[in-house]
Amino acid sequence: HASSPARDDMLTWLPLTSMLLPRGEHRNIYIELGANWANTLRLHHDVEQYIRRKHPISAAHLSTRPFEVYAFEAAPHIHPYLEAFVDHLNRGSLPPCLTVPPAGSSWVLAEYAFQYGCCGDVRSSDTFRTYFSRAARAECGTFHCCPLQQYVNTTSSLESCMYDTFKKPLHALVAAVRHKSDAVPHALLEARMAEAAQPNTGTQARYTFVPAAAGGATGSLKMNGVKAIQLIHGGLSSSNSHVPNGHPKHWGWKSLEAAKVNVASWLQHFHANDFVILKMDIEGAEFELVDAMLALGMAKVIDIVLWECHGWAGDCTALKARFSKANPRLLWIAEHSPLYKGYDSFSSPNRLKPLDPRIREQDLDFTEANCTPV
């Protein structure tokens, strides 16, 4: 049970890779901490291309083997989608149907907003069809269709508009969490994390989803104030800062606990000669995790860090300095950079987007043939 005392020894297996790969072989690893709606689940493709173009010395460290991807996510309302998405990537099944914007931040939400009539040049003569036809032809995002200054000045109305558009599916997600009482079994978490003991010997990337929060110790994570309005940004938070004007704060409220696993100890599956990309967007838990990694000497196994550091949880500059001192060869890539925009090249707002629920309401016979409901 997620809230019961957990066993640290369940995540301290010794690496077995030297017995499973030919002598001299190494692995390509992408660790996704904060998978959200799978927006960055394939970011390793973009990073690999970038490294080969811009950092040939680092590129020489890449293995010829396909990547192993390990994705961690705490938010239970996203788990069914991620399970289905990982199955889609591993086995070629239909992707899961997306019902809400897969935005992990206000910045990404703004890129979706234009496509749903919540930002941009809405004209008085527009009909539902003419507006979206023009939006589709524009093929643009935040800085073209929603100028930054306009977005900054109208954040509240933009969020309210997107919330109103997706109110029904958002509340359906909250209802699903409310009726979900079963904790993620420890046996499942053990089995998923133990997959790191088996190198990827296939011909394609291998994806593993761990339905838990990432941390520097085993235990549980309490998430307060889970509201439908918060889910417009993707994951869960204890903050009330994303409740726009005009929407009661108590709508869809729920508190819950999620399992937390010891990622610092689990990193012992990997070696310094492996090529390891670590992406962290874990709402302040990066401080606990990095300190635990440093205590175990695990900084040495990381080659690239993509992160969003949350200053409210600690001193980001000092944390980065400690990490870099322990591994001077680290390459850092910050969020909102051209390479790490909150989504990968497969999941841009023009490619990975939910069906407008207003279309469902207008066409009661509409069915989606290219995705699987979750």
Side-chain angles (χ1 to χ4, degrees), residues 261-295:
V261 293
N262 189 338
V263 170
S265 178
W266 171 77
L267 285 171
Q268 292 178 90
H269 280 294
F270 311 118
H271 299 283
N273 66 336
D274 294 325
F275 190 85
V276 181
I277 303 169
L278 176 65
K279 176 246 168 179
M280 290 187 289
D281 187 0
I282 47 179
E283 305 304 319
E286 60 269 19
F287 289 89
E288 171 196 313
L289 174 57
V290 171
D291 285 342
M293 288 173 58
L294 296 179

Side-chain angles (χ1 to χ4, degrees), residues 187-199:
L188 174 64
L189 299 180
E190 289 183 358
R192 295 284 176 87
M193 296 182 76
E195 289 184 22
Q198 301 287 337

Side-chain angles (χ1 to χ4, degrees), residues 3 67 86 189 221 279 301 333 336 350:
S3 59
F67 267 85
V86 165
L189 299 180
L221 175 69
K279 176 246 168 179
V301 306
I333 300 175
H336 307 309
N350 285 326

Side-chain angles (χ1 to χ4, degrees), residues 4-36:
S4 61
R7 297 178 289 115
D8 264 333
D9 62 341
M10 81 174 190
L11 301 178
T12 56
W13 312 281
L14 292 176
L16 304 175
T17 55
S18 60
M19 296 185 290
L20 297 171
L21 285 176
R23 187 175 182 85
E25 289 275 3
H26 58 284
R27 307 157 73 182
N28 289 328
I29 309 294
Y30 173 43
I31 302 169
E32 160 88 287
L33 305 183
N36 202 32

